[in-house]
Amino acid sequence: MPVATALDRVPAPPCAKLLGWHVLDARPEEGWIRVGFEGRPEFLNPAGYIQGGLLAAMLDDTMGPAVFAHTEGATYTATIDFNVSFIAPAKPGPLVGEGRIIKLGKSVGFLEAYLCDAAGEMIAHATSTVRLIPAEKALG
């Protein structure tokens, strides 16, 4: 059973719903989160693998929630820089993202995430630099 976080208090945005986003586990005090996604057949490219932009969106939707949960819903992230390394092709099915905070400053944060398939094989890795915005300003 997933741990309760500040994410439970806000509705999932349409893009997260499209990706099948759901919290699997979290350690908010450590700035760590595990998120499940559904690699749907509609996400496939002509080669039969999940299109890279959708994998990148999953990684992005893993890192930001790590900050939101860590700050108990006080901080929203706006991406400044986003780097992805695609390690292996992703087939349709469940995918798992693990995200963590590397460092939070006063206005900028540094994050990273990994995306794995159901067998635990790493599919992609990302790092991101984000602007830290008060949630009431960003979501209000």
Side-chain angles (χ1 to χ4, degrees):
M1 181 172 178
V3 66
T5 71
L7 295 158
D8 300 328
R9 299 191 302 261
V10 294
C15 59
K17 290 179 184 178
L18 175 69
L19 297 173
W21 184 97
H22 58 283
V23 175
L24 296 171
D25 196 6
R27 294 190 299 268
E29 66 284 351
E30 296 175 25
W32 175 88
I33 194 165
R34 182 179 294 132
V35 179
F37 297 97
E38 183 57 38
R40 298 180 179 163
E42 297 87 352
F43 297 171
L44 299 182
N45 63 22
Y49 297 108
I50 298 173
Q51 197 270 344
L54 291 159
L55 298 173
M58 292 176 191
L59 288 160
D60 192 40
D61 261 356
T62 300
M63 292 184 282
V67 174
F68 194 82
H70 176 71
T71 62
E72 298 181 7
T75 306
Y76 180 81
T77 58
T79 304
I80 297 170
D81 181 73
F82 184 69
N83 297 288
V84 180
S85 295
F86 298 102
I87 298 165
K91 297 177 184 174
L95 298 170
V96 175
E98 285 193 26
R100 75 177 183 99
I101 297 168
I102 297 170
K103 175 80 174 168
L104 291 185
K106 291 182 181 180
S107 62
V108 174
F110 302 91
L111 314 172
E112 80 170 332
Y114 296 91
L115 191 64
C116 296
D117 64 15
E121 181 181 351
M122 189 180 301
I123 300 300
H125 171 260
T127 58
S128 184
T129 306
V130 296
R131 171 109 21 239
L132 304 174
I133 301 169
E136 70 271 3
K137 183 176 180 183
L139 305 175

